[in-house]
Amino acid sequence: MANDFAMLPELIEQGDKFTYANFSSKSQHGYTNAFSEDWLVWTHHVSIVAKKVGDSVIGNSIERGLDMMLIGYGQPEFDSSKALIVSGLRAANRVFGQQIPASDRVVSLGHNSPEQTEALARVDELIQAVEQANEFPGDADDKELMVAELSAGRRLLQAANVRAAALRETIQPALKWIAEKSAGAALGKLAGDLMEYLIHLKFW
């Protein structure tokens, strides 16, 4: 990112994905006993932004959320911490943030997150279906091109952070081509479903 405040939209998006279930491991009694790697990385970057905002109502809201004791505590404390941090980040984005061009927008999935796992599984299923299709709507060169573009998109999705424009440029043309050429067939449905899932993840 060009500056600390440019991180705000990404941090807000990441923060919205945290739940009491996924931000930490739990003790046998159901209380927090160790933070997840994603939570530690996120709060580290949030603390950088909070220092940049400085001593203000917004900065103090973020700092209070970061300073809350969560180890050994339950969901009410987590909910309060997350609310203070995310509301502070949203306010900071309104005051200090800049509109990031769509071409530069980064979507954060997180390593081994449910969203990343699902996206990769869907791409793998489609690649396999294209490779095994006996009635593919094109010649051998078309099939090879589709597999190459889908595979390139898959490599991008393996990263925790993906630039939306890069994914659109690699995988979207293949998905549209397959969905249109195989409309009404199982292959077309797989491509259409994958497009809808990537839209759900805000890639376009």
Side-chain angles (χ1 to χ4, degrees):
M1 296 292 182
N3 56 62
D4 294 331
F5 292 135
M7 298 175 65
L8 285 166
E10 181 180 350
L11 291 174
I12 292 167
E13 186 172 353
Q14 290 172 344
D16 285 338
K17 293 180 180 179
F18 283 113
T19 66
Y20 183 65
N22 68 22
F23 97 106
S24 72
S25 60
K26 307 297 185 295
S27 69
Q28 60 180 344
H29 302 295
Y31 296 113
T32 301
N33 63 5
F35 298 129
S36 70
E37 179 181 340
D38 288 339
W39 177 265
L40 290 172
V41 171
W42 181 69
T43 51
H44 170 77
H45 288 300
V46 169
S47 69
I48 294 174
V49 171
K51 288 181 175 63
K52 188 76 172 180
V53 172
D55 186 12
S56 65
V57 174
I58 294 173
N60 292 340
S61 174
I62 298 173
E63 290 286 4
R64 285 199 305 274
L66 291 171
D67 290 342
M68 286 190 66
M69 292 294 296
L70 299 180
I71 297 295
Y73 289 84
Q75 182 158 356
E77 290 76 18
F78 164 77
D79 290 341
S80 295
S81 173
K82 175 181 169 179
L84 285 166
I85 295 171
V86 174
S87 63
L89 291 175
R90 291 186 188 282
N93 193 43
R94 291 176 62 181
V95 175
F96 304 106
Q98 300 175 349
Q99 289 292 331
I100 298 179
S103 60
D104 292 331
R105 184 167 56 84
V106 172
V107 178
S108 300
L109 297 180
H111 283 302
N112 300 318
S113 68
E115 293 82 5
Q116 184 188 55
T117 300
E118 177 72 12
L120 292 174
R122 287 174 180 260
V123 176
D124 287 341
E125 184 180 12
L126 180 57
I127 290 174
Q128 184 178 34
V130 170
E131 290 176 334
Q132 296 178 352
N134 294 323
E135 297 183 1
F136 187 77
D139 58 25
D141 288 339
D142 291 326
K143 178 181 284 193
E144 183 178 1
L145 177 60
M146 294 304 103
V147 170
E149 291 182 351
L150 292 171
S151 298
R154 190 192 192 286
R155 284 194 293 273
L156 290 172
L157 286 168
Q158 286 179 296
N161 301 312
V162 184
R163 195 169 301 282
L167 188 67
R168 287 197 303 272
E169 291 170 5
T170 54
I171 202 171
Q172 190 179 50
L175 293 177
K176 285 187 173 181
W177 190 91
I178 296 170
E180 291 173 1
K181 297 292 185 179
S182 298
L187 194 60
K189 186 178 187 307
L190 286 175
D193 288 346
L194 178 53
M195 277 198 293
E196 289 182 8
Y197 189 69
L198 295 177
I199 291 171
H200 167 70
L201 295 180
K202 301 179 182 179
F203 279 109
W204 59 75

